[in-house]
């Protein structure tokens, strides 16, 4: 069974008034934390082994669209409005672009919401009923419903509960907050001001420029619920990995798995002590990650891997594995984002 990074959510609507995000400052006081190996191995385990054949050119994308259009609409005169979207991992969806009335349980409905009715959904969409767009673009659900705020909490991989999505609800009082940054060239992504990372309570030597968004709209780091593993520019990733390896020499190492190059054989362990890993934001605040969000099992035999990966892109991404168990609240009206652990 392949590991599926897509998370199912239950949509709940709250009619609470607008809010101001807490500015609680949490200082990092611990250098190590415990990872419960036994509990982690009870999860549905698998290797991240999906290797899509990505669409390498506009010609290939056009060919795909024409093939699907022919499949769905053998008589071109019946064709009305077809959409086709490709994603960075090679997944794609093609189908009808339509408008529909969207209902929120007993909280009412909204007319003329634009959405795609997919006829050919391939890649990491397996097992998912659809894809809910929460970005800043004009066709996202948040933009079309004119939401001023929303939050989600992605439950742990082994949880039997559903993840939740809420609109207009206040974040937990202990949230770590930071500013959302705007990219004038691209309005879809939610950029954050990350200045660095720490391992074992010590700052990792990473140039801050590697996380900065330049005037041309390149670089920066985004928070994305649709990407599984956090991707960092290669130089930043290498520094983070090396700092982690230096403090885990007491753990038996093993060969890399799939996109992970730093793995450990914890088959004989029930619990292990690992260094803390934290994100450092531009306003001096720190978000410490749970150990199970950065040292994850990739099989049922006790192989655990450091759950970060390098990218040659100038854009870095905080993925959903690192967000699991954390309520992420977006105050769109005030350009703030808040993180609070164990608030699902």
């Amino acid at each position: 069974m392949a590991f599926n990074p897509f998370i199912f959510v239950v949509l709940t609507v709250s009619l609470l008034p607008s809010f101001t995000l807490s500015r609680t400052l949490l200082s990092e006081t611990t250098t190590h934390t415990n990872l419960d190996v036994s509990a982690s191995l009870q999860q549905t385990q698998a290797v991240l082994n999906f290797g899509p054949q990505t669409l390498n050119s506009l010609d290939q994308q056009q060919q795909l669209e024409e093939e699907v259009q022919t499949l769905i609409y053998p008589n071109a005169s019946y064709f009305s409005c077809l959409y086709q979207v490709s994603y960075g991992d090679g997944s794609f969806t093609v189908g009808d672009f339509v408008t529909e009335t969207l209902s929120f349980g007993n909280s009412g409905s909204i007319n003329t919401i634009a959405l795609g009715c997919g006829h050919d959904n391939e890649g990491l969409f397996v097992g998912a009923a659809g894809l809910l767009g929460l970005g800043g673009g004009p066709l996202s659900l948040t933009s079309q419903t004119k939401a001023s705020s929303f939050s989600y909490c992605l439950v742990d991989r082994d949880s039997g509960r559903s993840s939740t999505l809420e609109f207009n609800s206040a974040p937990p009082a202990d949230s770590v907050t930071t500013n959302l940054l705007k990219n004038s060239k691209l309005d879809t992504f939610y950029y954050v001001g990350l200045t660095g990372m720490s391992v074992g309570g010590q700052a990792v030597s990473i140039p801050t420029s590697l996380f900065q968004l330049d005037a041309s709209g390149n670089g920066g780091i985004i928070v994305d619920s649709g990407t599984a593993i956090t991707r960092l520019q290669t130089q930043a990733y290498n520094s983070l990995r090396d700092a982690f390896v230096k403090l885990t020499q007491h753990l038996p190492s093993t060969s890399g798995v799939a996109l992970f190059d730093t793995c450990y054989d914890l088959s004989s362990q029930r619990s292990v002590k690992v260094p803390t890993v934290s994100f450092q934001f531009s306003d001096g605040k720190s978000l410490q990650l749970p150990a199970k969000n950065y040292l994850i099992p990739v099989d049922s035999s006790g192989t655990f891997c450091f759950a970060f990966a390098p990218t040659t892109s100038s854009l870095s991404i905080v993925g959903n594995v690192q967000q699991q168990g954390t309520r992420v609240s977006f105050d769109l009206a005030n350009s703030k984002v808040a993180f609070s652990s164990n608030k699902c």
Side-chain angles (χ1 to χ4, degrees):
M1 175 179 176
F3 178 84
N4 190 344
F6 286 88
I7 308 296
F8 293 98
V9 299
V10 171
L11 181 63
T12 60
V13 176
S14 171
L15 300 180
L16 297 175
S18 59
F19 58 86
T20 301
L21 290 175
S22 166
R23 288 185 170 273
T24 303
L25 177 61
L26 300 182
S27 58
E28 186 174 344
T29 58
T30 57
T31 61
H32 287 76
T33 186
N34 289 324
L35 173 70
D36 191 330
V37 177
S38 299
S40 296
L41 285 176
Q42 293 174 7
Q43 302 169 356
T44 300
Q45 304 307 334
V47 177
L48 292 172
N49 57 1
F50 177 69
Q53 181 178 357
T54 57
L55 303 174
N56 296 319
S57 69
L58 183 61
D59 290 340
Q60 285 180 284
Q61 294 189 35
Q62 183 176 356
Q63 180 182 359
L64 168 65
E65 182 173 325
E66 291 173 351
E67 289 176 352
V68 175
Q69 179 178 333
T70 300
L71 175 65
I72 303 172
Y73 303 101
N75 188 336
S77 63
Y78 290 102
F79 170 69
S80 55
C81 188
L82 183 74
Y83 80 89
Q84 185 260 320
V85 179
S86 300
Y87 296 87
D89 61 10
S91 302
F92 64 84
T93 174
V94 183
D96 292 309
F97 188 61
V98 300
T99 58
E100 186 58 272
T101 298
L102 183 63
S103 299
F104 294 89
N106 297 323
S107 300
S109 60
I110 302 176
N111 297 326
T112 322
I113 294 292
L115 52 85
C117 180
H119 295 282
D120 188 12
N121 310 305
E122 299 189 27
L124 290 177
F125 296 119
V126 176
L131 184 67
L132 184 66
L134 296 172
L139 290 177
S140 72
L141 181 64
T142 50
S143 295
Q144 292 193 70
T145 57
K146 296 180 173 56
S148 62
S149 65
F150 72 94
S151 72
Y152 59 77
C153 201
L154 307 177
V155 297
D156 293 336
R157 297 178 296 277
D158 60 336
S159 176
R161 297 179 295 115
S162 295
S163 298
T164 58
L165 171 66
E166 300 178 357
F167 289 95
N168 219 25
S169 60
D174 62 352
S175 297
V176 176
T177 69
T178 190
N179 293 326
L180 284 174
L181 306 180
K182 295 186 182 298
N183 185 344
S184 60
K185 307 294 183 181
L186 187 63
D187 55 9
T188 299
F189 298 140
Y190 294 118
Y191 291 82
V192 292
L194 190 73
T195 57
M197 302 188 70
S198 67
V199 174
Q202 299 296 316
V204 178
S205 180
I206 302 175
T208 57
S209 59
L210 294 182
F211 299 120
Q212 290 178 345
L213 179 65
D214 66 25
S216 300
N218 299 315
I221 182 164
I222 64 173
V223 178
D224 182 25
S225 61
T227 298
I229 300 299
T230 292
R231 302 295 184 109
L232 303 173
Q233 285 194 48
T234 301
Q235 181 181 351
Y237 168 75
N238 287 344
S239 297
L240 177 69
R241 176 203 59 201
D242 292 348
F244 188 81
V245 169
K246 183 178 180 180
L247 296 180
T248 53
Q249 295 182 17
H250 61 292
L251 299 180
S253 62
T254 188
S255 57
V257 177
L259 76 168
F260 301 128
D261 61 13
T262 301
C263 300
Y264 302 88
D265 179 5
L266 305 183
S267 58
S268 62
Q269 310 285 335
R270 292 187 61 85
S271 178
V272 295
K273 191 175 183 180
V274 297
T276 56
V277 174
S278 301
F279 291 117
Q280 308 293 334
F281 297 109
S282 55
D283 46 12
K285 295 173 184 171
S286 174
L287 177 65
Q288 182 176 307
L289 301 178
K292 61 184 178 181
N293 285 19
Y294 57 86
L295 198 58
I296 66 172
V298 294
D299 58 29
S300 57
S301 302
T303 303
F304 283 68
C305 294
F306 188 52
F308 291 84
T311 178
T312 57
S313 170
S314 63
L315 177 68
S316 297
I317 304 172
V318 177
N320 64 44
V321 168
Q322 280 64 48
Q323 297 177 54
Q324 285 177 14
T326 298
R327 179 155 294 280
V328 185
S329 304
F330 295 87
D331 181 357
L332 304 179
N334 298 299
S335 297
K336 300 284 185 180
V337 61
F339 303 91
S340 186
S341 300
N342 302 314
K343 290 298 188 297
C344 283

